[in-house]
Amino acid sequence: MFWKFDLNNTSHIDQLLDREGVTLRELMEEEDVLQECKAQNRKLLLFLSKDHCMQELVTLITEEPPADLEEKTRFKFPNIACELLTSDVALINDKLGGDESLLEKLYHFLEQEPPLNPLLASFFSKTIGNLIARKTDQVISFLRKKHNFISLVLNHIDASAMMDLLLRLISCVEPALLRMEVLNWLNEERLIQRLTELMHTGRDEERQSNASQTLCDIIRLSRDQANQLSEVTEPDPLLAVLESQENVAELLKNMFEGERTEASVVNGTQGLINPKINSHAWMLAVFPPFFKSFIDLLLPLCLIAILTTVGVLEQPLGSARLHVARLVASLLQTCDLSICQEICRLNTMDLLLDLFFKYTWNNFLHLQVELCVASILNHSVHTDLQNPGLQNHEERPLFQHCRLVQRILGAWEENDKIQAEGGRRRGNMGHLTRIANTVVQNLEKGLAHSQINDLIKELPEDCRGRWESFVGETLRETNRRNTVDLVSTHNLHSSSEDDDMESPFPNDLSIQQAFSDYQIQQMTANFVDQFGFNDEEFSEHDENINAAFDRIAEINFNIDANAAAFEACCKERIQQFDDCEEEEDIWDEKEINYATQIKARSRYSTWMIYPGWTASFGETEVSSSSTWAGSPQQDGEGLQDTSWASFTEFQPFSR
């Protein structure tokens, strides 16, 4: 009776649209309105693309909803409106991107005084970003006519949505030629210089952070685009300005002018590290005036104590000092002689090593110090002939003034003492092991052998002896323990379920080995290939089938082991499982009568006794916990259950 069921496929939205006077709010109340929109519901799309509906949708995402509404429902309609406008439906995109009045209404959102509502800012950024990707020509043309567009966006840079909008302008414009036009336009608007100005110490920390992140993302996106679009030969103008000497000098100036703050140091350093590595030729002219200001930041700071998982930290390291350590590590990797000499002159490595051994649980710091030490030691091997004095300027202070070897030995001995007293291993021991290995490895490389070896020989005699003992014993043993075998054939354990079961064999290793040897003795590839049936042997003649089974008789079941001991092993029972009492125990002893089952077989036929069965062979009774097989000396015709032929071979059979 089909009339009992509602088989009408018309959605409720279609029914609403058929009703006269339906409003946009009524449609937005429906749960499936977004689904119907993305499903290209023609009726719905025609309704949404009407002028008054599009105006209302844009109003919802750009104007604050009434404050007297409940918080959980206050932004319900703005959120739905944003999803509808960015549903990537061609009809809506064409209407929104082609109607300048709608674009003006959207643009008016930027003209508000800061701060913007962060949720509405995200709706605005998402909508404009979708138009940049889908209606590129119309939207870019509109924005370029607005001479204050970049100024307004940077005025609201404290909202992360504005940072996303700038990045969409850089990464979402296609084709490549149009993208280059946009980059040139942004460069003409001095985007990079304006972002750099926001890094000044007097700026709001949120603005500084977002500006720094924007600079880093521009570098990343520009380099990615350059790698992907190999046909574009014109350099990225934004990246060129970012990595210019003038821009880096201005960034350094903004970081240290006025009252120095941790936020300005962290954000500025973050913006320096990326562009610096690939364009360090001009570093000598930019960094020296500010280098001491950076190194001074490594000195103790007045920070509030914090609670960590290993206790209260009275003097936290702080983000500023960590970022300075990152900067020093990056500078050393440039292999610039003047920069490295300046680092040594300011006693930078001594300060970093002090922090390394003081903050034993800060692995972020440990990594940077390890990179610094590795860079200094590796410079001796990879130094250009133009810089022959680089080794002396770096290694000698590291081993003499910084006392690297003595620090390694002292920290290691102190850690051993703590662990001997029941304490936990220090958190920097892994990186300390790597530093010690780097020293040892560079003793064996090229020029470093003579340079570092001479410095080791200059150590006091007791220290040199401790170092040699440490390298030959302690460090070698540590490296051995840290080496993990990917595959090991020893000490393999079965699952926990198997561990609960007792082995049916005694713990005599010789017997276990004999049984293992037996198991693999006869199961050769030749036997596996020959056992079974061939297609031509499947005929109506029984003798062909019997012949295939009779091949088992050709197997030699003898093993070279103590027969009595082996028989004792096989007589042991496999432990019974805890099955239901009503079920028959398959391991119960059964008296097997073969009198009515045995048929005449040809010479060398094989008899099988399965686990748990008992069979009598003349005066011999055999009870087996495994499968046994044997061959009679003569034909088995007329054999009775009480008069069995003697067996020449009678051994366990492994299938």
Side-chain angles (χ1 to χ4, degrees), residues 97-108:
D99 191 333
E100 192 160 334
S101 64
L102 294 175
L103 293 177
E104 288 286 353
K105 192 174 186 65
L106 276 171
Y107 186 81
H108 180 67

Side-chain angles (χ1 to χ4, degrees), residues 318-332:
S319 296
R321 289 198 280 185
L322 178 60
H323 277 74
V324 172
R326 288 183 59 200
L327 179 64
V328 173
S330 299
L331 288 171
L332 285 172

Side-chain angles (χ1 to χ4, degrees), residues 388-637:
L390 182 59
Q391 307 96 312
N392 294 331
H393 286 286
E394 293 182 283
E395 292 173 359
R396 189 166 296 277
L398 185 62
F399 283 91
Q400 292 182 345
H401 182 71
C402 299
R403 304 174 65 252
L404 178 62
V405 171
Q406 292 90 329
R407 286 177 186 255
I408 293 174
L409 295 174
W412 205 287
E413 292 166 357
E414 188 174 352
N415 178 75
D416 288 344
K417 180 180 178 181
I418 292 175
Q419 286 190 280
E421 295 173 354
R424 69 174 68 184
R425 185 173 183 260
R426 285 182 168 179
N428 60 354
M429 293 304 295
H431 289 282
L432 190 63
T433 302
R434 291 163 63 99
I435 290 175
N437 282 325
T438 302
V439 174
V440 174
Q441 291 165 7
N442 278 274
L443 281 170
E444 305 169 356
K445 290 182 181 179
L447 295 174
H449 180 80
S450 58
Q451 294 290 336
I452 302 178
N453 198 33
D454 291 344
L455 294 174
I456 295 294
K457 290 180 180 179
E458 294 177 6
L459 296 174
E461 185 176 352
D462 61 330
C463 180
R464 189 168 63 252
R466 288 165 57 205
W467 171 255
E468 293 173 355
S469 175
F470 167 77
V471 172
E473 299 174 6
T474 306
L475 185 60
R476 178 176 297 177
E477 175 62 20
T478 300
N479 291 333
R480 187 193 64 79
R481 290 198 309 267
N482 291 340
T483 303
V484 180
D485 293 333
L486 296 180
V487 178
S488 176
T489 58
H490 302 287
N491 301 323
L492 296 178
H493 299 285
S494 60
S495 64
S496 58
E497 182 179 354
D498 293 337
D499 290 342
D500 295 336
M501 300 175 59
E502 292 185 8
S503 172
F505 302 102
N507 293 327
D508 191 329
L509 295 180
S510 62
I511 296 178
Q512 294 185 18
Q513 184 62 42
F515 184 70
S516 298
D517 294 340
Y518 162 74
Q519 284 182 307
I520 64 174
Q521 178 184 7
Q522 300 294 339
M523 297 302 293
T524 62
N526 187 40
F527 167 71
V528 174
D529 292 338
Q530 293 182 2
F531 184 71
F533 300 104
N534 295 326
D535 292 340
E536 59 272 12
E537 293 176 343
F538 264 106
S539 64
E540 297 179 357
H541 303 287
D542 293 341
E543 58 271 15
N544 287 338
I545 299 179
N546 292 336
F549 278 110
D550 289 341
R551 293 176 186 168
I552 305 176
E554 301 175 6
I555 304 174
N556 181 12
F557 289 103
N558 288 319
I559 60 173
D560 297 330
N562 188 304
F566 193 80
E567 184 177 353
C569 294
C570 296
K571 285 184 178 180
E572 292 192 9
R573 298 291 186 88
I574 298 176
Q575 289 191 357
Q576 299 180 0
F577 295 98
D578 187 16
D579 295 334
C580 181
E581 294 182 358
E582 290 78 11
E583 296 180 359
E584 181 182 0
D585 193 344
I586 64 174
W587 303 108
D588 283 344
E589 293 184 359
K590 299 180 178 66
E591 187 70 20
I592 307 301
N593 189 339
Y594 289 95
T596 60
Q597 301 179 18
I598 301 176
K599 295 184 179 180
R601 289 178 179 263
S602 61
R603 185 175 176 83
Y604 301 119
S605 61
T606 301
W607 305 98
M608 312 291 289
I609 304 176
Y610 292 96
W613 291 12
T614 301
S616 298
F617 299 85
E619 297 180 355
T620 303
E621 182 179 274
V622 178
S623 177
S624 173
S625 59
S626 61
T627 303
W628 288 59
S631 303
Q633 286 182 329
Q634 57 187 3
D635 292 342
E637 295 182 3

Side-chain angles (χ1 to χ4, degrees), residues 192 196 240-255 268 271-273 275-276 279 282-283 286-287 290 294:
I192 300 301
T196 303
V241 173
L242 243 173
E243 296 184 337
S244 66
Q245 178 176 339
E246 295 78 11
N247 185 71
V248 174
E250 184 66 22
L251 180 58
L252 288 168
K253 179 182 176 182
N254 292 336
M255 288 172 59
L272 280 171
I273 291 176
K276 172 199 56 54
S279 52
W282 39 260
M283 280 293 166
V286 177
F287 262 84
F290 304 97
F294 273 109

